[in-house]
């Protein structure tokens, strides 16, 4: 079955989908994006994703492309036309097409592209093995809270992880504190049993899955706090894991050469993985 994309008012064959060469997303990375997971034919946390989209657009002073209800219709149509039972829907919004010039164009029309793809749910066998991660210097701009399409440092970090046969690259700032992963939020369980993830600031993206997992942690009555932690704390942690719409809850068993805990996924990651799986299936996440 041929894939279908939505591009600025039209549903077109994915292989023929295109934007203008002077779209400011192409010229300046002047745009934002969201990735919404689909499980059993329904969106996971669509409202929080679209709320974050609005915040990112507002931060960059890009006009919303359409009403929330109209955007929902397009998202569902892309999911339906691509027969996505499990997978993702990706949407990208840019300032639009204009003659190449750094300042905002006076009459730009916001551009919207939506694509979808099938993707198998995260395999629970990850709970048996976990994944490896590497650390890299966080050399990104100071507004990582905006979900910008300007992702070159993230791309280089993820490539470094791939070349090291690792799943993720963990960004570390100049003070030695972990910020986030190249495409995930990072969590640890301290030697004292406290679940930690970095507090929200301009150094990280407010992950939608991060927020959901935070609520699940409360349901499970886990000792939980939001605060900064160092790379050395992460390497010496009892457990570590990363979260995102596509990674769900993925246990990390090694960072660089440091083995996390006993080198196996721990009980906290397992409990949150299972709770999040129930949440995605529409069941009782607190059971």
């Amino acid at each position: 079955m041929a894939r279908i994309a939505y591009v600025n008012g039209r549903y077109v064959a994915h292989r023929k989908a295109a934007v203008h060469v002077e779209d400011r997303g192409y010229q300046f990375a002047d745009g934002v994006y969201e990735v919404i997971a689909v499980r059993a034919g329904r969106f996971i946390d669509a409202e929080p994703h679209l709320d974050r989209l609005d915040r990112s657009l507002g931060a960059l002073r890009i006009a919303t492309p359409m009403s929330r209800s109209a955007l929902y219709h397009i998202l569902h149509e892309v999911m339906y036309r691509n027969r996505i039972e499990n997978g993702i829907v990706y949407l990208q919004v840019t300032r639009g097409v204009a003659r190449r010039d750094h300042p905002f164009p006076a009459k730009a029309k916001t551009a919207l592209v939506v694509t979808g793809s099938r993707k198998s749910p995260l395999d629970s066998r990850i709970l048996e093995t976990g994944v490896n991660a590497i650390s890299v210097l966080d050399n990104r701009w100071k507004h990582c809270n905006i979900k910008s399409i300007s992702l070159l440092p993230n791309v280089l970090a993820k490539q470094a992880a791939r070349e090291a046969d690792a799943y993720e690259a963990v960004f570390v700032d100049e003070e030695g504190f972990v910020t986030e992963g190249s495409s995930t939020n990072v969590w640890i369980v301290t030697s004292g049993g406290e679940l930690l993830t970095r507090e929200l600031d301009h150094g990280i993206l407010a992950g939608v899955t991060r927020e959901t997992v935070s609520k699940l942690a409360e349901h499970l009555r886990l000792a939980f706090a939001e605060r900064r932690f160092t790379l050395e704390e992460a390497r010496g942690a009892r457990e570590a894991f990363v979260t995102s719409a596509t990674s769900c809850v993925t246990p990390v068993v090694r960072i660089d050469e440091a083995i996390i805990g006993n080198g196996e996924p721990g009980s906290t990651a397992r409990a949150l993985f299972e709770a999040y799986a129930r949440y995605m299936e529409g069941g009782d996440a607190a059971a």
Side-chain angles (χ1 to χ4, degrees), residues 77-152:
E77 191 68 17
V78 169
M79 179 174 66
Y80 171 76
R81 292 190 183 212
N82 288 282
R83 300 180 184 177
I84 300 172
E85 187 69 13
N86 296 294
I88 62 168
V89 170
Y90 173 90
L91 58 155
Q92 178 170 302
V93 183
T94 73
R95 205 176 303 275
V97 177
R99 181 179 62 84
R100 192 183 191 282
D101 193 14
H102 284 68
F104 299 167
K107 297 181 179 180
K109 181 180 180 181
T110 302
L112 171 66
V113 171
V114 182
T115 60
S117 58
R118 299 175 186 176
K119 180 179 173 66
S120 298
L122 190 64
D123 194 332
S124 62
R125 285 178 293 182
I126 199 72
L127 294 177
E128 303 303 321
T129 61
V131 299
N132 297 336
I134 63 169
S135 61
V136 296
L137 178 65
D138 194 340
N139 59 354
R140 301 171 298 165
W141 74 324
K142 301 300 183 181
H143 292 283
C144 297
N145 56 308
I146 301 171
K147 200 168 176 67
S148 165
I149 60 175
S150 181
L151 292 172
L152 189 55

Coordinates of all heavy atoms in Angstrom, one line a residue, residues 77-152:
E77 N -7.0 11.5 9.6 CA -7.0 11.2 8.2 C -5.7 10.5 7.7 O -5.7 9.5 7.0 CB -7.4 12.4 7.3 CG -7.7 12.1 5.9 CD -9.0 11.3 5.7 OE1 -9.8 11.3 6.7 OE2 -9.2 10.8 4.6
V78 N -4.6 11.1 8.1 CA -3.3 10.5 7.8 C -3.1 9.1 8.4 O -2.7 8.2 7.8 CB -2.1 11.4 8.2 CG1 -0.8 10.7 8.1 CG2 -2.1 12.7 7.4
M79 N -3.6 9.0 9.7 CA -3.5 7.7 10.3 C -4.4 6.7 9.5 O -4.0 5.5 9.3 CB -4.0 7.8 11.8 CG -4.0 6.5 12.5 SD -4.4 6.6 14.3 CE -6.2 7.2 14.2
Y80 N -5.6 7.1 9.2 CA -6.5 6.2 8.4 C -6.0 5.8 7.1 O -6.0 4.7 6.7 CB -7.9 6.9 8.3 CG -8.9 6.2 7.5 CD1 -9.5 5.0 7.9 CD2 -9.1 6.7 6.2 CE1 -10.4 4.4 7.1 CE2 -10.0 6.0 5.3 CZ -10.7 4.8 5.8 OH -11.5 4.2 5.0
R81 N -5.6 6.8 6.3 CA -5.1 6.6 4.9 C -3.9 5.7 4.9 O -3.6 5.0 3.9 CB -4.9 7.9 4.2 CG -6.1 8.7 3.9 CD -5.9 9.9 3.0 NE -7.1 10.7 2.8 CZ -7.3 11.4 1.7 NH1 -6.5 11.3 0.7 NH2 -8.4 12.1 1.6
N82 N -3.1 5.7 5.9 CA -1.9 4.9 6.0 C -2.1 3.6 6.8 O -1.2 2.8 7.0 CB -0.7 5.7 6.6 CG -0.2 6.8 5.7 OD1 0.5 6.5 4.7 ND2 -0.6 8.0 5.9
R83 N -3.3 3.4 7.2 CA -3.7 2.2 7.9 C -2.8 1.9 9.1 O -2.2 0.8 9.2 CB -3.8 1.0 6.9 CG -4.8 1.2 5.8 CD -4.8 0.0 4.9 NE -5.7 0.3 3.8 CZ -5.9 -0.6 2.7 NH1 -5.3 -1.8 2.7 NH2 -6.7 -0.3 1.7
I84 N -2.5 2.9 9.9 CA -1.6 2.7 11.0 C -2.4 2.2 12.2 O -3.2 3.0 12.8 CB -0.9 4.1 11.3 CG1 -0.2 4.6 10.1 CG2 0.0 3.9 12.5 CD1 0.4 6.0 10.3
E85 N -2.1 1.0 12.6 CA -2.7 0.4 13.8 C -1.7 0.7 15.0 O -2.1 1.1 16.1 CB -2.9 -1.1 13.6 CG -3.6 -1.7 14.8 CD -5.1 -1.3 14.9 OE1 -5.6 -0.7 13.9 OE2 -5.7 -1.6 15.9
N86 N -0.4 0.5 14.7 CA 0.6 0.9 15.6 C 1.7 1.6 14.9 O 2.1 1.2 13.8 CB 1.2 -0.4 16.3 CG 0.2 -1.1 17.1 OD1 -0.3 -0.7 18.2 ND2 -0.1 -2.4 16.7
G87 N 2.1 2.7 15.4 CA 3.1 3.5 14.7 C 3.2 4.9 15.2 O 3.0 5.2 16.4
I88 N 3.5 5.9 14.3 CA 3.6 7.3 14.7 C 3.0 8.1 13.6 O 2.9 7.7 12.5 CB 5.1 7.7 14.9 CG1 5.9 7.5 13.6 CG2 5.7 7.0 16.1 CD1 7.2 8.2 13.7
V89 N 2.6 9.3 14.0 CA 2.2 10.4 13.1 C 3.1 11.6 13.4 O 3.3 12.0 14.6 CB 0.7 10.8 13.2 CG1 0.4 12.0 12.4 CG2 -0.2 9.6 12.7
Y90 N 3.8 12.1 12.4 CA 4.7 13.2 12.5 C 4.1 14.4 11.9 O 3.6 14.4 10.8 CB 6.0 12.8 11.8 CG 7.0 13.9 11.7 CD1 8.0 14.1 12.7 CD2 7.1 14.8 10.6 CE1 8.9 15.1 12.6 CE2 8.0 15.9 10.6 CZ 8.9 16.0 11.6 OH 9.9 17.0 11.5
L91 N 4.2 15.6 12.6 CA 3.7 16.8 12.0 C 4.8 17.9 12.2 O 5.4 18.0 13.2 CB 2.4 17.3 12.6 CG 2.3 17.5 14.1 CD1 1.2 18.5 14.4 CD2 1.9 16.2 14.8
Q92 N 5.0 18.6 11.1 CA 6.0 19.7 11.1 C 5.3 21.0 10.6 O 4.6 21.0 9.6 CB 7.1 19.3 10.1 CG 8.2 20.4 10.0 CD 9.4 19.9 9.3 OE1 10.0 18.9 9.7 NE2 9.8 20.5 8.2
V93 N 5.6 22.0 11.4 CA 5.0 23.4 11.1 C 6.2 24.3 10.9 O 7.0 24.4 11.8 CB 4.1 23.9 12.2 CG1 3.4 25.2 11.8 CG2 3.0 22.8 12.5
T94 N 6.2 25.1 9.8 CA 7.2 26.1 9.5 C 6.6 27.4 9.3 O 5.4 27.5 9.1 CB 8.1 25.7 8.4 OG1 7.4 25.9 7.1 CG2 8.6 24.2 8.4
R95 N 7.4 28.4 9.3 CA 6.9 29.8 9.0 C 6.5 30.0 7.6 O 5.8 31.0 7.3 CB 8.0 30.8 9.4 CG 7.5 32.2 9.7 CD 8.6 33.1 10.2 NE 9.4 32.7 11.3 CZ 9.0 32.8 12.6 NH1 7.9 33.5 12.9 NH2 9.8 32.4 13.5
G96 N 6.8 29.1 6.7 CA 6.3 29.1 5.4 C 7.3 29.5 4.3 O 8.5 29.5 4.6
V97 N 6.8 29.8 3.1 CA 7.7 30.1 2.0 C 7.8 31.6 1.8 O 6.9 32.4 1.9 CB 7.0 29.5 0.7 CG1 7.9 29.9 -0.5 CG2 6.9 28.0 0.8
A98 N 9.1 32.0 1.7 CA 9.4 33.5 1.5 C 10.7 33.6 0.9 O 11.6 32.7 1.0 CB 9.3 34.2 2.8
R99 N 11.0 34.8 0.3 CA 12.3 35.0 -0.3 C 13.3 34.9 0.9 O 13.1 35.4 2.0 CB 12.4 36.5 -0.9 CG 13.7 36.9 -1.5 CD 13.6 38.3 -2.0 NE 13.3 39.2 -1.0 CZ 14.2 39.8 -0.2 NH1 15.5 39.4 -0.3 NH2 13.9 40.7 0.7
R100 N 14.5 34.3 0.6 CA 15.5 34.0 1.7 C 16.0 35.3 2.2 O 16.7 36.1 1.6 CB 16.6 33.2 1.1 CG 17.5 32.6 2.3 CD 18.7 31.8 1.8 NE 19.3 31.1 2.9 CZ 20.1 31.7 3.7 NH1 20.4 33.0 3.6 NH2 20.7 31.0 4.7
D101 N 15.6 35.5 3.5 CA 16.1 36.7 4.3 C 15.9 36.3 5.7 O 14.9 35.7 6.1 CB 15.3 37.9 3.9 CG 15.9 39.2 4.4 OD1 17.1 39.2 4.8 OD2 15.2 40.3 4.4
H102 N 16.9 36.7 6.6 CA 16.8 36.3 8.0 C 15.6 36.8 8.7 O 15.0 36.0 9.5 CB 18.1 36.7 8.7 CG 19.3 35.8 8.4 ND1 19.9 35.8 7.1 CD2 20.0 34.9 9.1 CE1 20.9 34.9 7.1 NE2 21.0 34.4 8.3
P103 N 15.2 38.0 8.6 CA 14.1 38.5 9.4 C 12.8 37.8 9.0 O 12.7 37.3 7.9 CB 14.0 40.0 9.1 CG 15.4 40.4 8.6 CD 15.8 39.1 7.9
F104 N 11.8 37.8 9.9 CA 10.5 37.2 9.6 C 9.9 37.9 8.3 O 9.9 39.1 8.2 CB 9.5 37.4 10.7 CG 9.9 36.8 12.0 CD1 9.2 37.1 13.2 CD2 10.9 35.8 12.1 CE1 9.5 36.5 14.4 CE2 11.2 35.3 13.3 CZ 10.5 35.6 14.5
P105 N 9.4 37.1 7.4 CA 8.7 37.7 6.2 C 7.4 38.4 6.7 O 6.7 37.9 7.7 CB 8.4 36.5 5.3 CG 8.4 35.3 6.2 CD 9.4 35.7 7.3
A106 N 7.0 39.4 6.0 CA 5.8 40.2 6.4 C 4.5 39.4 6.2 O 3.5 39.6 6.9 CB 5.7 41.5 5.7
K107 N 4.4 38.6 5.1 CA 3.2 37.9 4.8 C 3.3 36.4 4.6 O 2.7 35.8 3.7 CB 2.6 38.6 3.5 CG 2.3 40.0 3.6 CD 1.7 40.6 2.3 CE 1.3 42.0 2.5 NZ 0.7 42.6 1.2
A108 N 4.1 35.8 5.4 CA 4.3 34.3 5.3 C 3.1 33.6 5.7 O 2.3 34.0 6.6 CB 5.5 33.9 6.1
K109 N 2.8 32.5 5.0 CA 1.7 31.6 5.3 C 2.2 30.4 6.0 O 3.0 29.7 5.4 CB 0.9 31.3 4.1 CG -0.3 30.4 4.4 CD -1.1 30.1 3.1 CE -2.3 29.1 3.5 NZ -3.1 28.8 2.2
T110 N 1.8 30.1 7.2 CA 2.3 28.9 7.9 C 2.1 27.7 7.1 O 1.1 27.4 6.5 CB 1.6 28.8 9.3 OG1 1.8 30.0 10.0 CG2 2.1 27.6 10.0
A111 N 3.2 26.8 7.1 CA 3.2 25.6 6.3 C 3.1 24.4 7.2 O 3.6 24.4 8.3 CB 4.5 25.5 5.5
L112 N 2.3 23.4 6.8 CA 2.1 22.2 7.6 C 2.3 20.9 6.8 O 1.7 20.8 5.7 CB 0.6 22.2 8.2 CG 0.2 20.9 8.8 CD1 1.0 20.6 10.1 CD2 -1.3 20.9 9.1
V113 N 3.1 20.0 7.3 CA 3.3 18.7 6.7 C 3.0 17.7 7.7 O 3.4 17.8 8.9 CB 4.7 18.5 6.2 CG1 5.0 17.1 5.7 CG2 5.0 19.5 5.0
V114 N 2.2 16.6 7.4 CA 1.9 15.5 8.3 C 2.2 14.2 7.6 O 1.7 14.0 6.4 CB 0.5 15.6 8.8 CG1 0.2 14.4 9.8 CG2 0.1 16.9 9.4
T115 N 3.0 13.4 8.2 CA 3.2 12.0 7.6 C 3.0 11.0 8.7 O 2.9 11.3 9.9 CB 4.7 11.9 7.1 OG1 5.6 12.1 8.2 CG2 5.0 12.9 6.0
G116 N 2.8 9.8 8.3 CA 2.6 8.7 9.2 C 3.4 7.4 8.8 O 3.7 7.2 7.6
S117 N 3.7 6.6 9.8 CA 4.4 5.4 9.5 C 4.1 4.3 10.5 O 3.8 4.6 11.7 CB 5.9 5.6 9.4 OG 6.4 6.1 10.7
R118 N 4.1 3.1 10.1 CA 3.8 1.9 11.0 C 5.1 1.6 11.7 O 6.2 1.7 11.2 CB 3.4 0.7 10.1 CG 2.1 0.9 9.4 CD 1.8 -0.3 8.5 NE 0.6 0.0 7.6 CZ 0.2 -0.9 6.7 NH1 0.8 -2.1 6.6 NH2 -0.8 -0.6 6.0
K119 N 4.9 1.2 13.0 CA 6.0 0.9 13.8 C 5.5 -0.1 14.9 O 4.5 0.1 15.5 CB 6.6 2.1 14.5 CG 7.8 1.9 15.4 CD 8.2 3.2 16.0 CE 9.3 3.0 17.0 NZ 10.6 2.5 16.5
S120 N 6.3 -1.2 15.0 CA 5.9 -2.2 16.0 C 6.0 -1.6 17.4 O 6.9 -0.8 17.7 CB 6.8 -3.5 15.9 OG 6.6 -4.1 14.6
P121 N 5.1 -2.0 18.3 CA 5.2 -1.6 19.7 C 6.6 -2.0 20.3 O 7.2 -3.0 19.8 CB 4.1 -2.3 20.4 CG 3.1 -2.7 19.4 CD 3.9 -2.9 18.1
L122 N 7.1 -1.3 21.3 CA 8.4 -1.6 21.9 C 8.3 -3.1 22.5 O 7.4 -3.4 23.2 CB 8.7 -0.6 23.0 CG 10.1 -0.7 23.6 CD1 11.1 -0.4 22.6 CD2 10.2 0.2 24.8
D123 N 9.3 -3.9 22.1 CA 9.3 -5.3 22.5 C 9.6 -5.4 24.0 O 10.6 -4.8 24.5 CB 10.3 -6.0 21.7 CG 10.2 -7.5 21.7 OD1 9.7 -8.0 22.8 OD2 10.7 -8.2 20.8
S124 N 8.8 -6.1 24.7 CA 9.0 -6.3 26.2 C 10.3 -7.0 26.4 O 10.8 -7.0 27.6 CB 7.9 -7.0 26.8 OG 7.7 -8.3 26.3
R125 N 10.9 -7.6 25.4 CA 12.2 -8.3 25.6 C 13.3 -7.3 26.0 O 14.4 -7.7 26.5 CB 12.6 -9.1 24.4 CG 11.8 -10.4 24.2 CD 12.2 -11.1 23.0 NE 11.8 -10.4 21.8 CZ 12.0 -10.8 20.5 NH1 12.5 -12.0 20.3 NH2 11.6 -10.0 19.5
I126 N 13.1 -6.0 25.8 CA 14.0 -5.0 26.2 C 14.2 -5.0 27.7 O 15.3 -4.6 28.2 CB 13.6 -3.6 25.7 CG1 14.7 -2.6 25.7 CG2 12.5 -3.1 26.6 CD1 15.7 -2.9 24.6
L127 N 13.2 -5.6 28.4 CA 13.3 -5.7 29.9 C 14.3 -6.7 30.3 O 14.7 -6.8 31.5 CB 11.9 -5.9 30.5 CG 10.9 -4.8 30.4 CD1 9.6 -5.3 30.9 CD2 11.4 -3.6 31.0
E128 N 14.7 -7.6 29.4 CA 15.7 -8.7 29.7 C 17.1 -8.2 29.4 O 18.0 -8.6 30.1 CB 15.4 -9.9 28.9 CG 14.0 -10.5 29.1 CD 13.7 -10.8 30.5 OE1 14.6 -11.3 31.2 OE2 12.5 -10.5 31.0
T129 N 17.3 -7.3 28.5 CA 18.6 -6.9 28.1 C 19.0 -5.5 28.4 O 20.1 -5.2 28.8 CB 18.8 -7.1 26.6 OG1 17.8 -6.2 25.9 CG2 18.5 -8.5 26.1
G130 N 18.0 -4.5 28.3 CA 18.4 -3.1 28.4 C 19.2 -2.7 27.2 O 19.4 -3.4 26.3
V131 N 19.6 -1.4 27.3 CA 20.4 -0.8 26.2 C 21.6 -0.1 26.8 O 21.7 0.2 28.0 CB 19.6 0.2 25.4 CG1 18.4 -0.6 24.7 CG2 19.1 1.4 26.2
N132 N 22.6 0.2 25.9 CA 23.8 1.0 26.3 C 23.6 2.4 25.8 O 22.8 2.7 24.9 CB 25.0 0.4 25.6 CG 25.3 -1.0 26.1 OD1 24.9 -1.4 27.1 ND2 26.0 -1.7 25.2
A133 N 24.3 3.3 26.5 CA 24.3 4.7 26.2 C 25.7 5.3 26.3 O 26.5 4.7 27.0 CB 23.3 5.5 27.1
I134 N 25.9 6.4 25.6 CA 27.2 7.1 25.7 C 26.9 8.5 26.2 O 25.7 9.0 26.1 CB 28.0 7.1 24.4 CG1 27.2 7.9 23.3 CG2 28.4 5.7 23.9 CD1 28.0 8.2 22.1
S135 N 27.9 9.2 26.7 CA 27.7 10.6 27.1 C 28.4 11.5 26.1 O 29.5 11.2 25.5 CB 28.3 10.9 28.5 OG 29.7 10.6 28.6
V136 N 27.8 12.7 25.8 CA 28.4 13.7 24.9 C 28.2 15.0 25.5 O 27.3 15.3 26.3 CB 27.8 13.6 23.5 CG1 28.1 12.3 22.8 CG2 26.3 13.9 23.6
L137 N 29.1 16.0 25.1 CA 28.9 17.4 25.6 C 27.7 18.0 25.0 O 27.4 17.9 23.8 CB 30.2 18.2 25.2 CG 30.1 19.7 25.6 CD1 30.1 19.8 27.1 CD2 31.3 20.4 25.0
D138 N 26.9 18.6 25.8 CA 25.7 19.3 25.4 C 26.1 20.6 24.8 O 26.4 21.6 25.5 CB 24.7 19.5 26.5 CG 23.3 19.9 26.0 OD1 23.2 20.4 24.9 OD2 22.4 19.7 26.8
N139 N 26.1 20.7 23.4 CA 26.5 21.9 22.7 C 25.4 22.5 22.0 O 25.6 23.3 21.0 CB 27.7 21.6 21.8 CG 27.3 20.5 20.7 OD1 26.2 20.0 20.8 ND2 28.2 20.3 19.8
R140 N 24.2 22.3 22.4 CA 23.0 22.8 21.8 C 22.7 24.3 22.2 O 23.3 24.8 23.1 CB 21.8 21.9 22.1 CG 21.9 20.5 21.6 CD 20.8 19.6 22.2 NE 20.8 19.6 23.6 CZ 19.8 19.2 24.4 NH1 18.7 18.7 23.8 NH2 19.9 19.2 25.7
W141 N 21.7 24.9 21.5 CA 21.3 26.2 21.9 C 20.6 26.2 23.2 O 20.3 25.1 23.8 CB 20.5 26.9 20.8 CG 19.0 26.4 20.6 CD1 18.6 25.1 20.8 CD2 17.9 27.2 20.2 NE1 17.2 25.1 20.5 CE2 16.8 26.4 20.2 CE3 17.8 28.6 19.9 CZ2 15.5 26.8 19.8 CZ3 16.5 29.0 19.6 CH2 15.4 28.2 19.5
K142 N 20.3 27.4 23.8 CA 19.8 27.5 25.1 C 18.2 27.5 25.2 O 17.7 27.9 26.3 CB 20.3 28.8 25.8 CG 21.8 28.9 25.8 CD 22.4 27.7 26.6 CE 23.9 27.8 26.7 NZ 24.6 26.7 27.5
H143 N 17.6 27.0 24.2 CA 16.1 26.9 24.2 C 15.7 25.5 23.8 O 14.8 25.4 22.9 CB 15.5 28.0 23.3 CG 15.7 29.4 23.8 ND1 15.0 30.0 24.8 CD2 16.6 30.4 23.4 CE1 15.4 31.2 25.1 NE2 16.4 31.4 24.2
C144 N 16.2 24.5 24.5 CA 15.8 23.2 24.2 C 14.4 22.8 24.6 O 13.9 21.8 24.2 CB 16.8 22.2 24.9 SG 18.5 22.4 24.3
N145 N 13.8 23.7 25.3 CA 12.3 23.6 25.7 C 11.4 23.8 24.5 O 10.3 23.4 24.5 CB 11.9 24.5 26.8 CG 12.2 26.0 26.4 OD1 13.4 26.3 26.0 ND2 11.3 26.8 26.6
I146 N 11.9 24.4 23.4 CA 11.2 24.5 22.1 C 11.5 23.3 21.3 O 12.7 23.0 21.0 CB 11.6 25.8 21.4 CG1 11.3 27.0 22.3 CG2 10.9 25.9 20.1 CD1 11.9 28.3 21.7
K147 N 10.5 22.7 20.8 CA 10.7 21.5 19.9 C 11.0 21.9 18.5 O 10.2 21.7 17.6 CB 9.5 20.5 20.0 CG 9.8 19.1 19.6 CD 8.7 18.1 20.0 CE 9.0 16.7 19.5 NZ 10.1 16.1 20.2
S148 N 12.1 22.5 18.3 CA 12.5 23.0 17.0 C 13.0 21.9 16.1 O 13.5 20.9 16.5 CB 13.7 24.0 17.3 OG 14.4 24.3 16.1
I149 N 12.8 22.1 14.8 CA 13.4 21.2 13.8 C 14.9 21.3 13.6 O 15.5 20.6 12.8 CB 12.6 21.3 12.5 CG1 12.8 22.7 11.9 CG2 11.1 21.0 12.6 CD1 12.2 22.8 10.5
S150 N 15.5 22.3 14.3 CA 16.9 22.5 14.2 C 17.6 21.5 15.1 O 17.8 21.7 16.3 CB 17.3 23.9 14.6 OG 18.7 24.1 14.5
L151 N 17.9 20.3 14.6 CA 18.4 19.2 15.4 C 19.8 18.7 15.0 O 20.1 17.5 15.4 CB 17.4 18.0 15.2 CG 16.0 18.2 15.7 CD1 15.0 17.1 15.3 CD2 16.0 18.3 17.3
L152 N 20.6 19.5 14.4 CA 21.9 19.0 14.0 C 22.7 18.5 15.2 O 23.3 17.4 15.1 CB 22.7 20.1 13.3 CG 24.0 19.6 12.6 CD1 23.7 18.4 11.6 CD2 24.6 20.8 11.8

